[in-house]
Amino acid sequence: RFINLRDEGATSKLIDEIVHDTIILVWHKSVDLSQGSRTSAPTSQRMWVELGCRVKGQIIQPRLVWRSAHHKQQGKGESSLPSPTTSAGIDILDISRVRSLSDAERRQYPLAKKSRSFTIITSDKMTYIFEAKNTQEKARIVLSLKLLVARLASLIIVGDEKLFEDFFYPDSCADFHRTYDMGMKRARRRSRYSRSRSGSSTDSSNSFVSSDSLRQTT
């Protein structure tokens, strides 16, 4: 179906879904081998958006976070406390591009199915390869992430108070007026830096939202 990017209701729904849902993906993490060669080690991951917060006067930006989807089963007599697991993540404002897997990346990550995989590139040139369960899910995630980054950056640039309502935990909203000026100044600088590092957005392959409507198969 077609998604009209000028339809505020449709785009807001996609953003709301990506913010509040947990997604199951395969992360194709690059692994160093001997003699300078590299390969990928696919692992199942749970991905979600970690809302921002205010801690001791500091603004913690919203993040895209992922963690292993596999959890060790508890044995008899073992503690019921959850064991710590390592998670990875990136600040949403650090995301400069989200796109389909390229041919060069497909050769570097031979276990990734090209039609179902996508790439996240950050402002410091870090690359993350993920694989969705099917092509439709991949298209939905890619578009949702693009809209998410664009919406967050837009709210920061215009200084819209909905920023704290939509992307921060409620306790942060209560302290909004006390931290607004500081947070906005820092976030604006970061957003502009990210945009300058990502290059021009006039080309359709580089822009987050490059047309009035995109086709998404469901």
Side-chain angles (χ1 to χ4, degrees), residues 151-164 176 180-181 183-185 187-188 192:
R151 174 67 59 82
L152 180 59
S154 176
L155 291 175
I156 290 171
I157 290 172
V158 302
D160 194 325
E161 296 189 8
K162 280 182 62 63
L163 168 69
F164 277 75
F176 175 81
Y180 180 79
D181 290 337
M184 287 300 98
K185 288 178 181 178
R188 284 194 188 102
R192 287 166 182 162

Side-chain angles (χ1 to χ4, degrees), residues 2-172:
F2 284 102
I3 295 179
N4 185 357
L5 298 181
R6 293 182 176 178
D7 185 341
E8 180 69 20
T11 57
S12 293
K13 181 180 179 181
L14 282 176
I15 294 172
D16 186 69
E17 289 174 352
I18 198 74
V19 167
H20 295 99
D21 289 352
T22 299
I23 308 168
I24 302 297
L25 296 168
V26 174
W27 181 19
H28 292 271
K29 186 178 181 180
S30 182
V31 176
D32 291 322
L33 298 177
S34 60
Q35 299 178 345
S37 61
R38 302 173 69 87
T39 187
S40 62
T43 57
S44 180
Q45 302 282 317
R46 295 181 185 273
M47 176 181 283
W48 70 95
V49 172
E50 184 73 26
L51 298 178
C53 63
R54 176 183 177 273
V55 178
K56 296 181 180 179
Q58 298 296 315
I59 301 298
I60 308 300
Q61 296 293 334
R63 289 171 58 81
L64 187 66
V65 181
W66 56 94
R67 178 180 295 173
S68 173
H70 301 291
H71 299 280
K72 181 181 178 181
Q73 296 293 328
Q74 294 180 358
K76 186 176 181 179
E78 291 184 349
S79 171
S80 60
L81 294 176
S83 59
T85 56
T86 302
S87 61
I90 49 180
D91 288 359
I92 292 174
L93 286 178
D94 283 342
I95 298 175
S96 63
R97 295 186 66 185
V98 184
R99 57 166 172 74
S100 295
L101 193 71
S102 68
D103 291 334
E105 291 165 339
R106 176 63 177 81
R107 290 190 292 271
Q108 184 179 357
Y109 299 89
L111 299 180
K113 293 181 172 60
K114 189 172 185 292
S115 63
R116 303 189 330 205
S117 300
F118 63 94
T119 304
I120 297 177
I121 303 174
T122 65
S123 56
D124 56 357
K125 307 302 181 183
M126 294 294 293
T127 300
Y128 301 90
I129 308 296
F130 293 99
E131 182 179 331
K133 62 182 180 181
N134 54 50
T135 56
Q136 293 84 3
E137 180 72 355
K138 175 201 128 178
R140 184 185 72 86
I141 295 171
V142 168
L143 178 56
S144 297
L145 287 175
K146 290 181 178 182
L147 292 171
L148 173 66
V149 176
R151 174 67 59 82
L152 180 59
S154 176
L155 291 175
I156 290 171
I157 290 172
V158 302
D160 194 325
E161 296 189 8
K162 280 182 62 63
L163 168 69
F164 277 75
E165 297 176 11
D166 294 347
F167 295 105
F168 284 77
Y169 285 113
D171 288 345
S172 300

